[in-house]
Amino acid sequence: MKLFVGEGNPHSVKVLAVLELTGVKCDVQLVNNEERVVPYLTRPVLPVLLLPSGQHLFSPNTICQYLFDVSGRKATDATNQWMEWEITDLQPAVLQALHMMALQGKRSEAAAVMKEPLSHLEQNLRKSSTQFLTSDAITIADIVLWAALYPILSDSSFEAGDLRFVRGWFDGVDVQSACQTAAQKVLHGKSSEALKTFLQKHPATQTQRRDCPTNTSAAEAEDTERVMSELEIEEAAQMWSTGLKYSHAVPQRNHPILPQEGRRNVLVTSALPYVNNVPHLGNIIGCVLSADVFARYGRLRGWNLLYVCGTDEYGTATENKAREEGLTPREICDKYYAIHASIYKWFQIDFDFFGRTTTDRQTEIAQDIFWRLHERGFLLEETVEQLRCESCQRFLADRFVEGVCPHCCYPEARGDQCDKCGRLINAVDLRNPQCKVCKQTPVIRSSKHLFLDLPKLEGELEKWLDQSMGAGDWTTNARQITRSWLRDGLKPRCITRDLKWGTPVPHPDYKEKVFYVWFDAPIGYLSITANYTDQWEKWWKNPQQVELYNFMAKDNVPFHSVVFPCSLLGAQDNYTIVNNLIATEYLNYEDTKFSKSRGVGVFGDMAKDTGIPSDVWRFYLLYVRPEAQDSAFSWSDMALKNNSELLNNLGNFINRAAMFVTKFFEGRVPEMLLNDDDKRLIAMVSWELKQYIQLLDKVRIRDALKCILNISRHGNQYIQLNEPWKKIKGGDMDKQRASTVTGVSVNVACLLSALLEPYMPTVSQTIRTQLQAPPNCTGAMIQGAGTFICTLPAGHRIGTVSPLFQKLENEQIEGFRKQFGGQQTQIPSTASADTKLCAGVELNSTVNVKADPERARRLAEQVTEQADKVRALKAQKAEKSVIGEEVAKLLELKKQLALAEGKNQEPSNHKAKKK
Amino acid sequence: MALRELSSLEKCLGLKKPNKYSTQGERKVPVLQNNNGAVLVGLVTIASHLVHEAKKTELLGNSAEERALVQQWLEYRIARVDNCPKDELKVILKELNHYLEDKVYIAGNVFTLADILMYYGIHHIVVELAIQEKERYLNVTRWFDHIQHYPGVRHNLPPVVVLRNRVYPSGHH
């Protein structure tokens, strides 16, 4: 049993006090208040009690009740009633009052809020004949209410009025040593002061208790309430004025990058994309893009960082794809490797090295690890029965056998499952099995396989995980998935396969076999690094100096947290094992799944064809990065975010600031004489900068992006309030204001260019060129905890200013939505009915033509062009007949496109006809 | 609302003699006037009391753990589901859906008071859901359908139609 509590979290006081009082044995772990311990709750909630069965108790009162229950004390109607009152009446009032006291300094208002619940309590205690709430002995109700009231009543400045009975009762509970210990542990005896951080995350506006929203989605509104202290403002203004003194140039990257003594050596990997498919946006945000932002950020921070990735190329899927396309597996890999590499290049993924797994180094390293595991007795041998097709000369993967279902006699059951009755099948149990490729009857052969003895490595793994999770950053889902694997107990896992396309097993008894991909693929990180530098072991056999970050989507977690670490631990060769595991949730497409087969979604190679810049794609994907929960890509939302955040907020601010310098001050940054307003803005911006760094250090990529947008939002408000364009025409005082506001603003713009680098590298560079920013400014501001300094001093000359972003029009977006919306394969009858509606459609459109991606790409371009033409004609109010002709052409192109994409006629055609 | 719920609960528990209830305060918190003059306040408190009265304490859970789970979700009901702001509904459905993924009943494998009161509390929300949304919160729907067909539970609430076949392609991983 394990209890998770949070620092400064008032609900934790309750449960700790009850734990002390009942003496129930239980581990207590202090965790960050932001941590999501309970997987199914949307927001982080503490305290949480993890029961031996794996169930979570997340309600503080229930945890207390449970602890009382197991120590043999039962609840009564009377205690129940007080506990319910505490939840529905007392807690909301307490939360509201604490906000007023600790954050807003409104003590009298706080007293007013507490008046009703406190007098209810007073009256009940006055009438009661018992020493405590419900009896002469202390009960659960006393502890729960005491703990709820503790932060308020232990604050001597709280004016409670005359509460003789409440005071008497409270002091009676308060002297209990269990209560004293608990309060000390969580709040360090400082009551409302210690609660500040907790309260900032828990708004009191709703009639709810602990788990009020932490504003995950509405970060925009969160910061406006922040009140800066005089001291903070003064400090920030002073830091700003020191200017760029020291050289903080970001060190040049010299390949090969190797770990260095005395520097922070960070090794970043992103999950290796599987070679036989074009990655979709969900794949891109899940691994390579997230890792890229972090790697770019790390380089700006001056870490000695290496980012490697590559394509995962071995396995059945590749063999199948090769058969489909009539190529060899090698040719397939070469073809798709090039596609992957070019997509990532377009997305500006700045790998230090992008390799592949089908190399000699892979064979060498995988076989070495294999032998070491073998010598140390971590491999088991077992015989497995399998179907083998004699005419194809190979063992058949489950998906390659068809036969009669042994349960329902459905004639086309697959080797793993029957489509009719849905039951799972062992391929060897199929009646009349057939090889799907040659239709011959396969025979049952037993085949020996090797298994990695995970149960034997479990103890060592757990030791490693405790250490790694304790010290490093593991996303909550990564912790959760790993824990659940361990909880269910590890089983031996087969590491060999009867295939040809793979790393050969070097053992003489297994000559015909290769390694199973899950064993082989993660070794790719090592071999890819080895292809980058011969000194790869300095990264991979150096856990003392190297910090390893693995990026992936959540489905990949067990392989990186359990299986691969076991291979490395068992090999006993001082390997570098994951210290930080960053897993995203899933990105959906317009609320459905991305699906290659149905043509639904945006795939890496198509993003470019939209004409939307790579930076904007990066921005939106990172903006909706599925950080703590699944999220969805939506076209209209993308347009909205582009137009509201990039164009109207960020772009607008930077452009205005720079334009003022150009227009009013002949391109030179004017003199700045800071008054209180300016200093407050500088302090706000500094605070956001510090947040940005704290968040990115913890790989909270999406949250840190919000800080950037907050800064430009503050900047826009600042300009709006001070109206430099008016003041420039005023008297001397006004002119001076215009000059200061412009100078400060353009410096904020310069800071933004630095913060944008990891997210939108091209835009960042464009801003710096426009501002002629000194090259070392980025490094200087992103060092340490982050300092906002005046990097463009008075007199600095800026370059030519131009707008950074373009509006995304509704029509354009609707077009994309249709183009990428895909369609489920329609049954032929409806398809032909559809096509009858459109005149002049070629006959073959009723038939599903095989997809031709190359032709589709060309046609998509033509469709876009033609659509632009039609739009232009309409805008010019051209003659109807002319427009009609062009529209007809457009429809024809669209139809061909649909065919080339292997889809049936789009229903949008009848809509177009009705116009 | 809460009073109708309590009278449904009484019938569901097989209590012959109906109790007298009133409400107090703005939020109309139910109050039970006992024969011997004692007063009980609060939905969960009264409901638990009724279960004891009907001698069906298994509905409160058979082990300490089950009792805790029942208690927890009763609290969730009054703290989160009741008076839930509109934009919070989806969060609740999502959480419940996730939680119910591997469970038959709220406390696991046994039917408890938590199922009854959660059903009453969530009924007005589920009634409003479109088919597509019901499919999105598949586990909630499955559980809900199960409870509304549980003998004696539904009572005067209108049944909610749940389709057995999916109409829309899966919207989730």
Side-chain angles (χ1 to χ4, degrees):
Chain A
M1 201 157 69
K2 197 162 184 182
L3 181 65
F4 299 87
V5 293
E7 184 107 3
N9 174 321
H11 304 295
S12 297
V13 179
K14 255 183 216 176
V15 297
L16 284 176
V18 172
L19 193 63
E20 285 279 331
L21 194 72
T22 55
V24 175
K25 278 221 171 354
C26 177
D27 290 338
V28 177
Q29 190 182 342
L30 194 67
V31 293
N32 190 312
N33 278 310
E34 291 303 288
E35 182 143 338
R36 280 177 65 213
V37 183
V38 188
Y40 48 82
L41 293 184
T42 317
R43 300 174 188 118
V45 168
L46 285 177
V48 171
L49 182 66
L50 178 62
L51 297 176
S53 66
Q55 293 272 7
H56 294 94
L57 295 183
F58 57 80
S59 145
N61 288 9
T62 301
I63 297 175
C64 295
Q65 197 116 310
Y66 175 76
L67 293 172
F68 266 90
D69 198 348
V70 291
S71 63
R73 286 179 252 194
K74 296 282 176 275
T76 64
D77 278 349
T79 55
N80 278 346
Q81 181 168 323
W82 277 117
M83 309 258 288
E84 186 168 356
W85 177 75
E86 195 262 352
I87 291 170
T88 54
D89 292 69
L90 183 59
Q91 271 305 332
V94 165
L95 198 54
Q96 206 182 343
L98 283 176
H99 262 262
M100 292 167 161
M101 285 165 68
L103 300 182
Q104 299 159 352
K106 299 177 183 163
R107 298 194 171 275
S108 51
E109 282 94 331
V113 169
M114 288 306 295
K115 191 160 184 284
E116 200 181 307
L118 282 176
S119 66
H120 174 75
L121 189 57
E122 177 80 4
Q123 278 169 26
N124 274 279
L125 285 165
R126 185 182 298 145
K127 279 189 281 183
S128 148
S129 52
T130 53
Q131 191 189 342
F132 290 100
L133 276 172
T134 62
S135 76
D136 283 328
I138 212 160
T139 68
I140 181 172
D142 295 298
I143 304 280
V144 165
L145 264 69
W146 162 83
L149 289 167
Y150 178 84
I152 291 191
L153 291 184
S154 67
D155 188 329
S156 51
S157 64
F158 179 75
E159 296 142 17
D162 181 27
L163 295 170
R164 198 151 54 89
F165 290 92
V166 171
R167 284 286 179 197
W169 160 81
F170 181 82
D171 293 341
V173 185
D174 199 45
V175 294
Q176 308 285 328
S177 65
C179 297
Q180 286 295 320
T181 322
Q184 190 59 32
K185 248 185 213 160
V186 179
L187 305 173
H188 312 297
K190 282 181 296 186
S191 71
S192 64
E193 277 299 303
L195 298 171
K196 264 188 185 166
T197 6
F198 172 83
L199 291 169
Q200 274 160 355
K201 293 281 171 195
H202 288 75
T205 42
Q206 277 153 320
T207 51
Q208 287 166 19
R209 357 152 249 164
R210 57 199 153 73
D211 30 18
C212 289
T214 48
N215 260 328
T216 37
S217 56
E220 290 97 299
E222 202 173 20
D223 66 298
T224 46
E225 303 302 318
R226 214 193 122 70
V227 185
M228 309 293 299
S229 75
E230 290 302 316
L231 189 69
E232 270 176 296
I233 294 175
E234 237 4 90
E235 269 178 11
Q238 251 172 32
M239 286 309 295
W240 144 276
S241 315
T242 54
L244 257 188
K245 272 187 188 150
Y246 311 100
S247 166
H248 276 294
V250 175
Q252 278 277 315
R253 253 197 284 177
N254 293 317
H255 294 294
I257 300 162
L258 295 172
Q260 288 171 17
E261 186 67 47
R263 287 185 70 189
R264 183 165 177 196
N265 298 300
V266 177
L267 176 55
V268 177
T269 71
S270 109
L272 307 180
Y274 201 71
V275 78
N276 75 336
N277 256 333
V278 179
H280 57 65
L281 297 182
N283 304 139
I284 290 168
I285 184 66
C287 50
V288 293
L289 180 53
S290 295
D292 182 56
V293 174
F294 186 69
R296 285 173 179 272
Y297 168 74
R299 292 180 194 124
L300 283 184
R301 294 274 276 162
W303 302 341
N304 186 41
L305 182 144
L306 180 72
Y307 176 19
V308 291
C309 184
T311 42
D312 169 16
E313 307 191 341
Y314 282 132
T316 342
T318 309
E319 279 189 356
N320 297 338
K321 189 81 176 179
R323 196 169 299 120
E324 258 171 48
E325 297 197 14
L327 297 172
T328 64
R330 169 57 68 195
E331 285 167 336
I332 279 287
C333 291
D334 289 347
K335 175 179 160 189
Y336 279 93
Y337 171 78
I339 294 178
H340 276 265
S342 79
I343 289 172
Y344 301 141
K345 186 164 179 230
W346 186 78
F347 273 98
Q348 307 173 73
I349 309 295
D350 192 5
F351 302 116
D352 290 301
F353 188 70
F354 184 71
R356 44 204 301 194
T357 56
T358 51
T359 64
D360 294 342
R361 305 308 300 260
Q362 175 76 11
T363 310
E364 207 176 284
I365 297 170
Q367 294 187 346
D368 174 57
I369 291 177
F370 165 80
W371 279 123
R372 296 188 70 98
L373 289 167
H374 189 267
E375 285 157 13
R376 285 162 183 75
F378 291 120
L379 297 181
L380 303 168
E381 195 178 275
E382 236 172 272
T383 308
V384 180
E385 287 204 325
Q386 273 178 294
L387 290 174
R388 181 180 163 86
C389 176
E390 295 292 359
S391 75
C392 297
Q393 288 280 303
R394 59 186 193 121
F395 283 94
L396 299 177
D398 292 345
R399 279 175 288 172
F400 280 78
V401 203
E402 257 178 21
V404 178
C405 172
H407 306 292
C408 73
C409 296
Y410 179 64
E412 285 169 45
R414 285 176 292 137
D416 49 354
Q417 198 175 18
C418 171
D419 282 336
K420 180 123 180 272
C421 69
R423 266 178 280 209
L424 297 180
I425 300 173
N426 267 329
V428 288
D429 296 335
L430 277 179
R431 280 189 263 154
N432 302 331
Q434 270 192 348
C435 167
K436 254 183 118 173
V437 178
C438 69
K439 303 290 173 206
Q440 296 295 309
T441 307
V443 292
I444 295 179
R445 278 291 158 80
S446 57
S447 171
K448 270 198 307 183
H449 281 283
L450 284 168
F451 287 70
L452 179 60
D453 193 351
L454 292 178
K456 207 166 172 182
L457 289 158
E458 193 166 343
E460 213 176 325
L461 176 73
E462 279 191 66
K463 230 170 63 197
W464 163 255
L465 285 175
D466 277 350
Q467 187 193 331
S468 177
M469 287 185 179
D473 283 316
W474 285 58
T475 49
T476 315
N477 54 1
R479 288 169 195 265
Q480 212 61 55
I481 293 166
T482 307
R483 272 191 211 121
S484 78
W485 265 58
L486 289 174
R487 195 172 54 226
D488 299 345
L490 300 180
K491 289 160 203 76
R493 278 187 82 94
C494 186
I495 63 164
T496 51
R497 267 290 180 265
D498 289 292
L499 283 181
K500 293 206 170 58
W501 187 241
T503 304
V505 180
H507 195 288
D509 295 354
Y510 297 88
K511 261 191 224 143
E512 298 285 284
K513 299 185 191 333
V514 299
F515 289 122
Y516 198 178
V517 277
W518 66 257
F519 174 77
D520 194 50
I523 295 174
Y525 296 133
L526 281 58
S527 75
I528 287 167
T529 315
N531 278 303
Y532 165 71
T533 167
D534 286 341
Q535 304 175 64
W536 63 276
E537 289 175 332
K538 288 194 174 162
W539 283 109
W540 283 101
K541 294 188 183 176
N542 190 0
Q544 298 79 8
Q545 281 191 319
V546 173
E547 277 173 73
L548 175 58
Y549 281 81
N550 287 163
F551 283 79
M552 69 203 69
K554 67 178 169 190
D555 50 343
N556 251 318
V557 168
F559 300 105
H560 288 81
S561 68
V562 176
V563 180
F564 188 47
C566 278
S567 299
L568 294 182
L569 287 168
Q572 296 174 353
D573 205 8
N574 192 35
Y575 278 110
T576 308
I577 306 178
V578 59
N579 307 99
N580 307 274
L581 203 158
I582 315 298
T584 55
E585 301 285 315
Y586 294 128
L587 179 73
N588 295 315
Y589 178 76
E590 302 260 347
D591 277 336
T592 60
K593 261 162 94 171
F594 282 89
S595 162
K596 184 84 193 166
S597 54
R598 288 192 289 127
V600 173
V602 184
F603 291 80
D605 50 346
M606 304 171 182
K608 171 163 58 173
D609 301 337
T610 57
I612 299 170
S614 148
D615 268 16
V616 174
W617 279 107
R618 287 176 63 111
F619 165 80
Y620 182 65
L621 289 174
L622 292 160
Y623 191 94
V624 295
R625 181 171 187 260
E627 216 150 83
Q629 50 192 304
D630 288 357
S631 65
F633 173 94
S634 132
W635 284 104
S636 50
D637 188 47
M638 177 168 175
L640 189 73
K641 292 292 155 20
N642 176 75
N643 298 345
S644 65
E645 291 291 7
L646 291 183
L647 192 69
N648 292 341
N649 176 13
L650 190 67
N652 183 41
F653 169 71
I654 294 171
N655 193 247
R656 273 165 109 190
M659 280 311 285
F660 292 154
V661 177
T662 309
K663 261 169 62 185
F664 304 143
F665 303 97
E666 287 144 2
R668 284 184 187 279
V669 176
E671 285 298 334
M672 291 159 269
L673 279 170
L674 304 184
N675 73 9
D676 284 352
D677 285 349
D678 309 320
K679 287 179 184 171
R680 183 162 297 118
L681 173 83
I682 290 169
M684 296 275 241
V685 171
S686 304
W687 187 79
E688 294 286 355
L689 166 62
K690 290 193 166 71
Q691 289 292 304
Y692 169 92
I693 285 177
Q694 277 175 22
L695 289 166
L696 272 184
D697 275 353
K698 295 262 167 220
V699 212
R700 301 269 296 276
I701 295 173
R702 194 186 60 183
D703 292 346
L705 178 56
K706 304 276 160 78
C707 295
I708 300 181
L709 299 173
N710 284 342
I711 290 178
S712 66
R713 205 166 284 124
H714 290 316
N716 273 322
Q717 280 168 7
Y718 171 74
I719 291 184
Q720 213 51 39
L721 208 71
N722 287 289
E723 305 183 316
W725 65 93
K726 278 190 194 159
K727 299 242 165 83
I728 192 74
K729 296 173 194 144
D732 279 354
M733 282 300 283
D734 276 356
K735 279 213 174 84
Q736 197 190 74
R737 280 308 292 153
S739 142
T740 303
V741 170
T742 304
V744 170
S745 298
V746 78
N747 269 289
V748 173
C750 185
L751 170 69
L752 284 170
S753 78
L755 302 187
L756 278 170
E757 209 281 337
Y759 294 88
M760 307 177 79
T762 308
V763 168
S764 163
Q765 187 52 54
T766 311
I767 301 170
R768 267 176 287 153
T769 311
Q770 290 188 5
L771 299 181
Q772 295 284 305
N776 60 346
C777 69
T778 331
M781 291 192 276
I782 301 188
Q783 291 308 306
T787 32
F788 176 35
I789 44 184
C790 175
T791 49
L792 307 178
H796 171 90
R797 175 170 285 287
I798 69 167
T800 318
V801 178
S802 59
L804 297 165
F805 302 105
Q806 276 189 337
K807 193 170 178 196
L808 283 175
E809 299 293 346
N810 255 342
E811 271 181 34
Q812 206 178 342
I813 281 298
E814 274 311 307
F816 291 140
R817 194 210 306 281
K818 286 206 183 102
Q819 187 181 340
F820 296 103
Q823 261 185 312
Q824 287 193 276
T825 344
Q826 289 167 332
I827 42 171
S829 64
T830 36
S832 59
D834 258 357
T835 46
K836 270 177 207 146
L837 291 168
C838 335
V841 170
E842 287 162 27
L843 207 65
N844 67 359
S845 63
T846 53
V847 191
N848 242 330
V849 180
K850 205 171 173 344
D852 177 354
E854 195 41 56
R855 184 173 149 78
R857 194 165 312 138
R858 271 200 322 274
L859 282 165
E861 274 171 28
Q862 289 175 13
V863 166
T864 322
E865 257 172 49
Q866 184 67 17
D868 284 339
K869 194 168 171 188
V870 170
R871 237 172 271 131
L873 283 172
K874 282 185 181 164
Q876 295 158 15
K877 303 221 169 8
E879 270 186 52
K880 265 204 176 132
S881 61
V882 179
I883 296 179
E885 224 175 275
E886 295 301 327
V887 168
K889 272 190 206 160
L890 176 61
L891 290 179
E892 178 60 27
L893 279 170
K894 279 190 177 169
K895 194 183 68 202
Q896 286 177 18
L897 173 63
L899 289 173
E901 286 174 346
K903 290 181 269 179
N904 282 307
Q905 199 57 47
E906 288 196 55
S908 61
N909 274 348
H910 354 238
K911 228 171 87 196
K913 257 188 88 73
K914 279 178 210 150
K915 275 187 198 167
Chain B
M1 165 71 203
L3 297 192
R4 194 175 313 150
E5 186 175 343
L6 283 170
S7 96
S8 292
L9 180 65
E10 283 180 350
K11 289 182 186 131
C12 175
L13 291 170
L15 288 171
K16 293 282 181 303
K17 240 179 27 203
N19 289 293
K20 263 197 202 141
Y21 300 101
S22 56
T23 58
Q24 77 179 28
E26 262 173 64
R27 287 187 303 113
K28 298 215 181 336
V29 182
V31 179
L32 168 67
Q33 196 79 43
N34 239 356
N35 298 336
N36 47 16
V39 165
L40 280 182
V41 186
L43 180 69
V44 171
T45 307
I46 297 174
S48 310
H49 172 82
L50 292 178
V51 171
H52 276 287
E53 201 174 294
K55 301 206 166 44
K56 292 196 172 161
T57 46
E58 69 276 7
L59 287 178
L60 295 173
N62 292 313
S63 60
E65 172 165 342
E66 259 176 38
R67 281 193 288 276
L69 288 172
V70 172
Q71 185 66 31
Q72 162 150 302
W73 290 99
L74 290 175
E75 275 183 30
Y76 187 91
R77 151 79 208 268
I78 52 169
R80 295 287 302 279
V81 181
D82 291 355
N83 309 312
C84 171
K86 252 212 155 72
D87 50 354
E88 189 63 16
L89 285 179
K90 280 200 173 154
V91 176
I92 286 177
L93 286 169
K94 196 176 162 193
E95 291 184 350
L96 272 176
N97 195 51
H98 193 164
Y99 175 74
L100 286 168
E101 206 165 64
D102 55 354
K103 291 177 187 64
V104 181
Y105 297 106
I106 288 201
N109 293 322
V110 290
F111 176 78
T112 63
L113 181 65
D115 294 297
I116 306 178
L117 288 202
M118 190 67 87
Y119 164 74
Y120 290 150
I122 209 176
H123 186 278
H124 69 281
I125 300 170
V126 177
V127 158
E128 300 283 316
L129 292 183
I131 295 172
Q132 207 159 7
E133 289 170 301
K134 280 186 216 154
E135 287 190 355
R136 177 177 310 163
Y137 306 111
L138 198 62
N139 303 316
V140 174
T141 314
R142 166 183 53 74
W143 163 84
F144 187 90
D145 195 33
H146 195 48
I147 303 304
Q148 71 175 352
H149 287 100
Y150 202 91
V153 174
R154 185 169 60 80
H155 224 73
N156 57 8
L157 290 170
V160 174
V161 177
V162 171
L163 293 179
R164 300 280 166 183
N165 298 314
R166 290 183 78 89
V167 175
Y168 297 92
S170 160
H172 241 50
H173 51 271

